Amino acid sequence: MLPFRARASPGWDCRLKAAGGGLICAMLFAPKDADSSGWRWDHSYAALPGIFLTRTLPVAVPSPEIVIFNRPLARSLGLNPEALESLAAVFAGNEIPEGALPLAQAYAGHQFGNFTNLGDGRAILLGEHLDPAGRRFDIQLKGSGRTPYSRGGDGRATLGPMLREYIISEAMHALGIPTTRSLAVATTGEKVMRQEILPGAVLTRVAASHIRVGTFQYAAAHDDLDALRTLADYTVARHFPELLESDRKYFDFLEAVIERQAALIARWLHVGFIHGVMNTDNMALSGETIDYGPCAFMDDYRPDTVFSSIDRHGRYAYDQQPQIARWNLARLAESLLPLLHAERGTAVDLADEALGAFENRFRGHWLLGMRHKLGLLTAEADDAALVQELLDWMHASHLDFTNTFRALSKETAIAAPAFVDAGFLPWHARWAARLARQPQSPAEVVAMMRAHNPVVIPRNHRVEEALTAAVEQGDLGVTQRLLEVLSDPYALTAPVAFTAPPPAGAESYQTFCGT
């Protein structure tokens, strides 16, 4: 191994292979001094080859003001909420914290199946913050102005979509689903033109990283094997360090990413979440949910539910998300082919082997979660059929997804009155018999179900109510109340108003990308 220091950052030990190129990095997590705000900056991504980034600054705004700040998240990161909460200029991009090193990341992506070169067109990575445990988090400003990758866009964001990402990402975190999170939303004092003139805003996003399937597609499109290998080694070191010494590191890396995505998509389906824009640039290799654009939660159980106004053919419908995840992962595998094996045919066989396991991995995670939702603490061969029969009945009966599962968890051996019909009773008899065959007590069954069936989700009409109050009346109180309820989604004491399905006519509800 030859020392490689020129591009290394303080938190990494990077060495160049003597043969074959590529950068091997291992995290040292050396202690760093925190400033008065608690920031402990590091810049490992900035040490990557230059094709992956461009150094650039946020564009200043006239009148920054913090409208919402995530104090619990700040504390969990080892930051000082009292010091940060007044720094609107930082969270709007007017001031750069000491030690930060702003840059825009380059990546590509298949958007609705069409490949294009992209990059952070309205986002700036300030750097990586190391929390007191040494964990590494990207700190990104979203909506911070034009970058070299803006492709003619204005680089700005508006208040409604930024608050939507804040609300939904925090709800996903409370539900226990891996996700990026939101530290703050600051208004800018600017007006931004979309379908109408709207108040501008900047969101501060916290992520395990922003490395995407599209980042690897970008490297592959440049036909730069050294850059591709360097990116892969970096991603393994950052997210899969247990694979660093593997004899087949890149194959194991692909398998590990597939496993995390299979688990993530299953968890989306367990709560009725629809991402809405599962382009390859919106799939993070960390396994976190990222980019909450036209996302929403399903009310009535309809497998083909689509909310996104731009998804006219249902490519990213609720029931299509597993297939799209596999499609996206196939694009990652294509990008990794030169690393999987020097002989292309063998590399393709290895990629096919890894991808071929996706469906079983996903089905395993999905079925385990559905067993939990139905209080099945053991496994039987007919469990998948039992689950599907319930879902088919819910679909035919136009029943609310969240409330149906929660109602079942109230009394696991007695049919709730709302479910007493010819379609439900035969299924309920089979479910009761299935519960009776497992050794766990009724109390254990109920506890399992209540831990996996939320009482509240971010109901679309409640989210819209909060966004309307904030954008049109300047009232953040509705958003704060919604966040308070969503912070404990399994609580039996959740206000009834937040558990109610949407009013009549909500079937036409649409979400929009925000760009």
Side-chain angles (χ1 to χ4, degrees):
M1 302 286 282
L2 300 176
F4 182 74
R5 304 296 183 195
R7 304 184 69 87
S9 65
W12 289 76
D13 180 22
C14 300
R15 300 178 183 275
L16 189 66
K17 289 183 178 178
L23 188 64
I24 297 293
C25 296
M27 290 188 186
L28 296 179
F29 293 136
K32 297 178 180 297
D33 294 332
D35 63 17
S36 60
S37 298
W39 294 118
R40 300 198 303 165
W41 294 105
D42 194 28
H43 304 287
S44 64
Y45 192 91
L48 290 175
I51 67 167
F52 295 116
L53 59 103
T54 298
R55 301 279 177 84
T56 188
L57 292 171
V59 178
V61 300
S63 183
E65 179 181 352
I66 295 176
V67 294
I68 192 165
F69 182 79
N70 195 332
R71 295 175 67 88
L73 175 57
R75 284 191 289 267
S76 73
L77 293 170
L79 299 173
N80 181 347
E82 289 72 23
L84 288 172
E85 204 162 9
S86 62
L87 299 180
V90 169
F91 291 109
N94 282 17
E95 294 181 8
I96 305 302
E98 184 178 355
L101 187 65
L103 59 86
Q105 296 178 319
Y107 46 85
H110 275 88
Q111 298 193 316
F112 288 87
N114 300 306
F115 181 81
T116 186
N117 283 313
L118 299 164
D120 287 334
R122 57 171 184 162
I124 296 290
L125 178 67
L126 294 179
E128 300 141 27
H129 168 70
L130 299 182
D131 76 0
R135 294 173 298 183
R136 184 175 298 263
F137 296 92
D138 278 7
I139 307 296
Q140 184 195 71
L141 300 181
K142 182 175 179 180
S144 52
R146 287 190 177 96
T147 78
Y149 309 113
S150 292
R151 306 180 301 283
D154 61 14
R156 289 304 187 191
T158 61
L159 179 59
M162 296 303 94
L163 285 176
R164 172 185 288 276
E165 175 155 346
Y166 191 109
I167 292 167
I168 304 296
S169 63
E170 287 304 294
M172 292 285 273
H173 172 71
L175 287 165
I177 298 174
T179 179
T180 61
R181 297 186 67 186
S182 302
L183 182 59
V185 174
T187 51
T188 62
E190 290 182 326
K191 298 298 182 181
V192 177
M193 174 60 73
R194 293 295 182 256
Q195 289 85 2
E196 56 184 316
I197 297 176
L198 297 167
V202 177
L203 174 107
T204 302
R205 180 158 68 190
V206 178
S209 83
H210 287 83
I211 304 169
R212 313 156 187 261
V213 169
T215 315
F216 280 82
Q217 291 182 285
Y218 187 84
H222 277 72
D223 197 24
D224 188 333
L225 182 57
D226 286 345
L228 177 65
R229 181 179 285 109
T230 298
L231 176 65
D233 289 341
Y234 172 82
T235 308
V236 170
R238 184 160 178 177
H239 293 302
F240 307 94
E242 69 277 8
L243 303 180
L244 281 169
E245 303 302 323
S246 171
D247 293 336
R248 53 174 200 171
K249 176 173 56 179
Y250 303 118
F251 177 81
D252 291 345
F253 166 51
L254 177 59
E255 281 202 318
V257 173
I258 290 171
E259 167 63 19
R260 287 194 187 181
Q261 291 299 327
L264 178 65
I265 304 305
R267 296 178 81 170
W268 289 359
L269 268 58
H270 293 150
V271 296
F273 175 74
I274 302 166
H275 186 281
V277 61
M278 285 180 64
N279 299 327
T280 56
D281 55 295
N282 292 337
M283 179 176 276
L285 271 63
S286 65
E288 290 184 331
T289 311
I290 190 172
D291 280 333
Y292 292 92
C295 63
F297 281 75
M298 182 168 58
D299 294 302
D300 285 2
Y301 177 70
R302 290 183 292 110
D304 62 350
T305 297
V306 174
F307 291 114
S308 172
S309 63
I310 58 177
D311 191 3
R312 297 180 180 88
H313 303 291
R315 177 181 175 88
Y316 301 140
Y318 171 80
D319 64 350
Q320 293 301 304
Q321 293 178 124
Q323 290 81 359
I324 290 298
R326 189 193 185 283
W327 193 91
N328 289 350
L329 290 164
R331 309 288 78 77
L332 174 64
E334 288 172 351
S335 302
L336 290 173
L337 286 178
L339 302 181
L340 294 178
H341 200 277
E343 202 281 313
R344 183 172 176 84
T346 302
V348 170
D349 289 343
L350 288 168
D352 286 343
E353 177 187 341
L355 290 166
F358 173 82
E359 183 173 355
N360 284 340
R361 290 176 183 270
F362 165 76
R363 290 290 297 180
H365 288 294
W366 178 83
L367 182 55
L368 178 62
M370 295 306 287
R371 283 189 176 117
H372 289 162
K373 289 175 77 68
L374 290 177
L376 307 181
L377 286 85
T378 59
E380 291 189 7
D382 293 336
D383 287 347
L386 183 70
V387 172
Q388 192 59 52
E389 288 170 14
L390 174 63
L391 294 175
D392 290 344
W393 172 74
M394 289 168 58
H395 184 203
S397 302
H398 307 288
L399 289 181
D400 185 88
F401 182 82
T402 301
N403 288 350
T404 299
F405 278 104
R406 193 66 199 190
L408 289 174
S409 69
K410 291 180 180 178
E411 296 180 273
T412 58
I414 303 173
F419 299 153
V420 177
D421 66 21
F424 177 72
L425 292 178
W427 177 87
H428 184 269
R430 289 191 291 276
W431 178 50
R434 170 67 179 84
L435 292 175
R437 290 195 296 272
Q438 62 185 18
Q440 286 79 15
S441 69
E444 291 174 289
V445 170
V446 170
M448 170 66 77
M449 295 180 71
R450 287 180 174 174
H452 290 87
N453 291 305
V455 178
V456 291
I457 57 170
R459 296 278 182 181
N460 302 321
H461 62 295
R462 286 295 182 186
V463 173
E464 290 302 320
E465 178 184 55
L467 300 185
T468 298
V471 174
E472 297 184 5
Q473 288 101 43
D475 178 8
L476 270 294
V478 183
T479 296
Q480 294 284 10
R481 177 58 176 151
L482 179 60
L483 286 166
E484 178 185 350
V485 173
L486 294 173
S487 69
D488 193 3
Y490 300 95
L492 297 177
T493 56
V496 173
F498 289 88
T499 70
E507 295 82 4
S508 60
Y509 177 75
Q510 280 192 320
T511 55
F512 299 87
C513 189
T515 55

